[in-house]
Amino acid sequence: MAEFTGEPRGEGRRIVVVASRFNESITVPLAEGAVSTLAARGVAFDDIDVLWVPGAWELPTAVRRALATGKYDAAVVVGAVVRGDTPHFDFVAGEASRGLMDASRDFEVPVTLGLLTTDTMAQAEARAGGAHGNKGEDAALAALEVLDLFDRAFPDESFGEEDA
């Protein structure tokens, strides 16, 4: 039985970080955590692009557009949807997540989820560099680990790369 795991290695990778501006006090630290983690793991700073969109609703479309270029090995998505007094949270969080999964499936490129869906701002703050770490960092590590896993498990196949 073959068993494969990946390591979060970034050398030679090109990554897009797609971030939501809404709840900026949360999303800026998430994006910064993602970028610094990618760079610390070997992704060249010039091989990291950051796209800022207005809110979580726009994340899937921006990811799809970025992946359609064929330039990126993975997308790291960060944002924060905080529950309010209306059902808006349920629609935005669920549809944004589904759209991101659809993009990952359709383009066969890892799209990792640093999109916080919390009940309170305090919970979001705890996950954007607070007591529960930085989920932007976690999403960046996950992207690199999955890419390395693909390299190890499927060495003769290309994922998300344009055919020459």
Side-chain angles (χ1 to χ4, degrees):
M1 172 181 89
E3 185 173 331
F4 301 93
T5 59
E7 296 292 326
R9 296 181 305 132
E11 296 81 6
R13 304 293 188 193
R14 184 144 173 83
I15 309 293
V16 62
V17 176
V18 184
S20 166
R21 285 192 321 265
F22 197 79
N23 291 320
E24 205 168 32
S25 65
I26 303 301
T27 62
V28 168
L30 291 172
E32 290 171 347
V35 169
S36 65
T37 298
L38 292 168
R41 293 300 181 131
V43 180
F45 197 70
D46 289 342
D47 288 334
I48 303 168
D49 291 336
V50 180
L51 305 178
W52 287 95
V53 298
W57 188 258
E58 293 79 25
L59 290 168
T61 302
V63 168
R64 291 186 74 81
R65 179 61 66 98
L67 296 182
T69 68
K71 291 178 10 179
Y72 301 104
D73 298 307
V76 177
V77 177
V78 297
V81 183
V82 179
R83 187 178 302 278
D85 295 330
T86 68
H88 184 255
F89 169 93
D90 298 315
F91 295 109
V92 172
E95 292 301 321
S97 297
R98 182 166 50 134
L100 295 168
M101 178 51 70
D102 288 348
S104 184
R105 182 199 62 227
D106 292 348
F107 288 94
E108 295 184 330
V109 172
V111 176
T112 57
L113 192 62
L115 175 61
L116 303 181
T117 54
T118 62
D119 289 324
T120 66
M121 283 300 284
Q123 290 172 340
E125 290 165 357
R127 289 158 178 78
H132 292 287
N134 184 309
K135 300 307 176 187
E137 293 174 6
D138 294 348
L141 289 171
L144 296 178
E145 185 176 327
V146 171
L147 288 169
D148 189 56
L149 171 67
F150 287 174
D151 287 349
R152 293 171 190 234
F154 313 108
D156 298 327
E157 297 182 36
S158 295
F159 285 88
E161 296 178 11
E162 290 184 288
D163 294 328

